[in-house]
Amino acid sequence: MLEVEDIHTFYGLSHILFGVSLSVEQGQVACLLGRNGAGKTTTLKSILGLAPPRQGRIRFKEEDITGKAPFRLVRRGIGYVPDDRRIFADLTVGENLEIAARQGDRRDLWDKKRVYELFPDLERFEDRKGGFLSGGEQKMLAIGRALMGNPEFLLLDEPTEGLAPALVRVLGETITTLKEAGLTVLLAEQNVKFTLKMSDYGYIIDNGRICYRGTVEELTENEEVKRTCGLVPGMQRLVKDALLDRIAAAVEQDQ
C-alpha cells in the first residue's frame, strides 16, 4: 500500500534521512522504532509532504505522491496524528471533530458517533474546549480527528509519549481496534514493548538510516538488533516479552 524508496530528506542544509526505504502492506500495522532524534518524525513528515525528500520516491496505492501537498494526501486517504497532537485549543471537542470531517468511499465511515464509541470520554466532554483536556484526552481527540477524515492509512507519531500506563493500555486497544476495522497503520515509537505487541512488521531507524527490519519474531531472534542498534537498554528482553505477550493473547482468544 505504501512504498518509501531510498529517500533523502533535509532541513535546510542539514541532511536528516539517508536512503530510508520501507513498505507497509494493506491491513498491516508496521512500526518504526528509534530513539529521540533518530529520524522517525522526519520519515512520517516526508511521507505526508510536510518535509518533502530531495531524493527518492514515495508511492501510495501505486501512485507517486513524492512532495505532494499534505491536503491532497489527506484527500487520497492518509491520516496523520503528530506527536504534539496539534488540536485546536479554542474549539470544543465536537468542533475539533466536525472541522476535520470528510466523506470517504467506504460504507463504514467514521463520524462523530463512531469516534465517540471508540472514545466514550470524548462524548462526555463534547462541549469542553480542547485546551482544557488532559494530555491523554487530547491524544484521543487527535486520533479521533484524524479518523474523521476517513483515512485508509494512518500515520501515528509517538502516540504513547507523556501518557500514564493506564492510558497506554487503552491506546494499545484502540490501535488493535483500528486494525480490525481495516485501517493500515505506520506507528513511529520508541516504546519497544508497547509497539511490538500490536505490530506485524518493524523497522529500526538510527541516525537517519534504517539499520534493521523484520517481523516481530525476527527482531526477537536476531542479535544484530541489540548489537548494532542498541536503542534501548535491555531491548532484546523487552522484545521477547512482547512476543510472549502476543502468543499468550492469541492462545487466550482461541480458547
Side-chain angles (χ1 to χ4, degrees):
M1 191 174 197
L2 176 76
E3 297 179 13
V4 177
E5 182 180 341
D6 194 31
I7 63 170
H8 292 255
T9 301
F10 294 72
Y11 289 141
L13 297 177
S14 299
H15 196 168
I16 307 300
L17 299 183
F18 300 83
V20 167
S21 296
L22 57 85
S23 63
V24 185
E25 301 297 327
Q26 186 167 1
Q28 195 178 57
V29 174
C31 62
L32 183 63
L33 294 167
R35 59 180 174 78
N36 281 335
K40 303 186 302 298
T41 295
T42 301
T43 300
L44 298 193
K45 287 184 174 181
S46 295
I47 293 169
L48 196 65
L50 295 169
R54 292 187 189 176
Q55 300 177 40
R57 285 286 175 264
I58 301 170
R59 296 180 180 85
F60 179 62
K61 297 194 296 186
E62 300 184 353
E63 177 188 356
D64 190 341
I65 62 169
T66 311
K68 290 189 179 296
F71 78 91
R72 296 189 183 278
L73 300 185
V74 170
R75 290 177 181 174
R76 281 170 169 75
I78 299 179
Y80 176 52
V81 181
D83 58 347
D84 54 359
R85 300 184 284 273
R86 297 288 181 93
I87 64 165
F88 294 102
D90 291 332
L91 298 183
T92 66
V93 167
E95 290 167 341
N96 265 278
L97 296 176
E98 290 166 3
I99 201 171
R102 186 186 73 89
Q103 293 298 315
D105 299 327
R106 306 190 313 274
R107 293 182 180 178
D108 54 339
L109 295 177
W110 287 93
D111 54 19
K112 277 206 303 184
K113 179 183 177 185
R114 195 174 176 199
V115 170
Y116 288 155
E117 289 174 354
L118 184 64
F119 299 119
D121 285 347
L122 293 184
E123 185 172 17
R124 292 196 295 115
F125 301 138
E126 181 175 19
D127 296 324
R128 181 175 296 182
K129 289 189 175 182
F132 292 100
L133 299 177
S134 68
E137 291 159 356
Q138 288 185 358
K139 184 72 72 173
M140 294 176 192
L141 180 56
I143 295 174
R145 187 180 60 185
L147 293 175
M148 289 291 289
N150 280 289
E152 299 175 56
F153 189 98
L154 190 60
L155 301 169
L156 286 174
D157 192 4
E158 300 274 13
T160 69
E161 185 177 20
L163 297 186
L167 288 175
V168 171
R169 287 193 295 273
V170 171
L171 181 61
E173 294 169 359
T174 298
I175 295 173
T176 300
T177 300
L178 295 178
K179 180 182 178 182
E180 292 171 350
L183 264 71
T184 304
V185 179
L186 178 58
L187 171 64
E189 258 293 348
Q190 56 179 322
N191 186 332
V192 177
K193 187 174 181 179
F194 163 84
T195 306
L196 292 179
K197 280 183 179 180
M198 63 201 66
S199 298
D200 302 301
Y201 200 86
Y203 296 87
I204 295 176
I205 187 170
D206 198 25
N207 293 321
R209 295 178 171 85
I210 299 294
C211 62
Y212 195 80
R213 67 188 69 207
T215 63
V216 173
E217 292 79 5
E218 289 168 338
L219 289 172
T220 303
E221 296 170 359
N222 197 310
E223 289 288 339
E224 186 179 353
V225 173
K226 182 179 179 181
R227 184 177 64 251
T228 303
C229 302
L231 298 175
V232 180
M235 178 177 181
Q236 189 181 37
R237 176 180 57 79
L238 291 174
V239 173
K240 286 183 177 179
D241 287 347
L243 178 58
L244 290 174
D245 287 345
R246 289 185 67 186
I247 294 172
V251 170
E252 183 178 347
Q253 187 175 10
D254 291 339
Q255 291 178 345

